[in-house]
Amino acid sequence: MSAEPIPHSPGPWCPDPRRQQRADYTLEDLLNLPDDAPRVELVDGVVQVTPSPTLGHQDISFLLRLWLHSHAPRHLRAAQDVGVELTVNTSRRADVLLCRAGVPSGLSLISPADVVLAVEIVSPGTRRVDRFAKPGEYAAAGIQYYWRIEQDPVHVYAYRRGDRLGPGGERQYELVADSAELIELTEPFEIKLSVAEITP
């Protein structure tokens, strides 16, 4: 009696190089990725694997989400590491976000119309994207508020979508507050955040 050969796994999922060259991935493709797919974002039809965050990054993310969960009004909901549908071929994963409380829990991609605040925590591997690309994309998609958090030391930069237009005619963010000690804002709700509370 002979044993059946054991099927070998073809290896972990990775984007199709031809589709990457054509840049024709869509949000629908993202929703149908296999379970073994890595953490990815979709940028102009190209699937990009996102680097793993550091412990310090995750500590800040957790503490901020906890703070927002405890302080935001009931019609808003705090979440971590959730995808946001920016266009038909672009989605980003916000480190932390505030969305409308009525958004169904089963979603892995949220419409920008349901996002009130998107937050990115800057790491060495994400500096350019978090400081330039993501705020431009979030503002163009209509997300009203954006926070950028720098590490070492922890410093919060709070932005609001303003009337100034960018090169492509889209509205851009304008800085409304920044501090390594205390952030006080009236929008998107009454905020008095001691930066020490989100510092690991």
Side-chain angles (χ1 to χ4, degrees):
M1 180 161 96
S2 63
E4 290 288 320
I6 298 171
H8 291 287
S9 168
W13 179 89
C14 64
D16 180 330
R18 290 169 302 204
R19 292 199 67 190
Q20 288 284 81
Q21 264 188 333
R22 292 194 312 257
D24 69 355
Y25 277 102
T26 65
L27 292 177
E28 189 175 332
D29 293 313
L30 218 57
L31 291 170
N32 293 311
L33 291 179
D35 293 339
D36 68 343
R39 185 176 182 265
V40 297
E41 291 180 327
L42 182 63
V43 182
D44 295 327
V46 175
V47 174
Q48 296 181 353
V49 176
T50 59
S52 295
T54 62
L55 282 173
H57 176 287
Q58 292 301 78
D59 287 341
I60 294 168
S61 178
F62 169 77
L63 292 170
L64 177 60
R65 186 205 171 269
L66 190 61
W67 191 94
L68 289 169
H69 175 75
S70 301
H71 292 84
R74 295 179 63 96
H75 69 278
L76 298 176
R77 172 184 188 173
Q80 281 176 273
D81 193 31
V82 176
V84 181
E85 305 172 356
L86 299 177
T87 68
V88 293
N89 66 355
T90 299
S91 77
R92 293 290 194 175
R93 299 183 73 87
D95 289 325
V96 178
L97 57 77
L98 268 180
C99 63
R100 303 190 195 293
V103 173
S105 295
L107 295 181
S108 59
L109 282 175
I110 300 176
S111 164
D114 289 321
V115 177
V116 175
L117 165 69
V119 182
E120 296 295 342
I121 300 158
V122 179
S123 294
T126 64
R127 283 189 188 113
R128 181 176 295 278
V129 171
D130 293 340
R131 291 176 183 164
F132 303 106
K134 285 188 176 182
E137 292 164 357
Y138 290 151
I143 297 172
Q144 194 66 20
Y145 303 98
Y146 175 71
W147 290 6
R148 187 184 87 239
I149 301 178
E150 300 282 343
Q151 303 184 60
D152 303 320
V154 176
H155 194 116
V156 179
Y157 295 84
Y159 299 86
R160 180 183 163 282
R161 196 164 171 255
D163 295 326
R164 187 168 51 102
L165 300 181
E170 69 284 346
R171 289 168 60 192
Q172 295 184 315
Y173 288 121
E174 51 191 36
L175 185 67
V176 291
D178 80 278
S179 180
E181 296 175 1
L182 181 69
I183 291 290
E184 292 189 83
L185 299 164
T186 57
E187 298 176 301
F189 63 94
E190 200 75 38
I191 291 172
K192 191 171 183 178
L193 168 65
S194 168
V195 176
E197 293 184 69
I198 62 165
T199 300

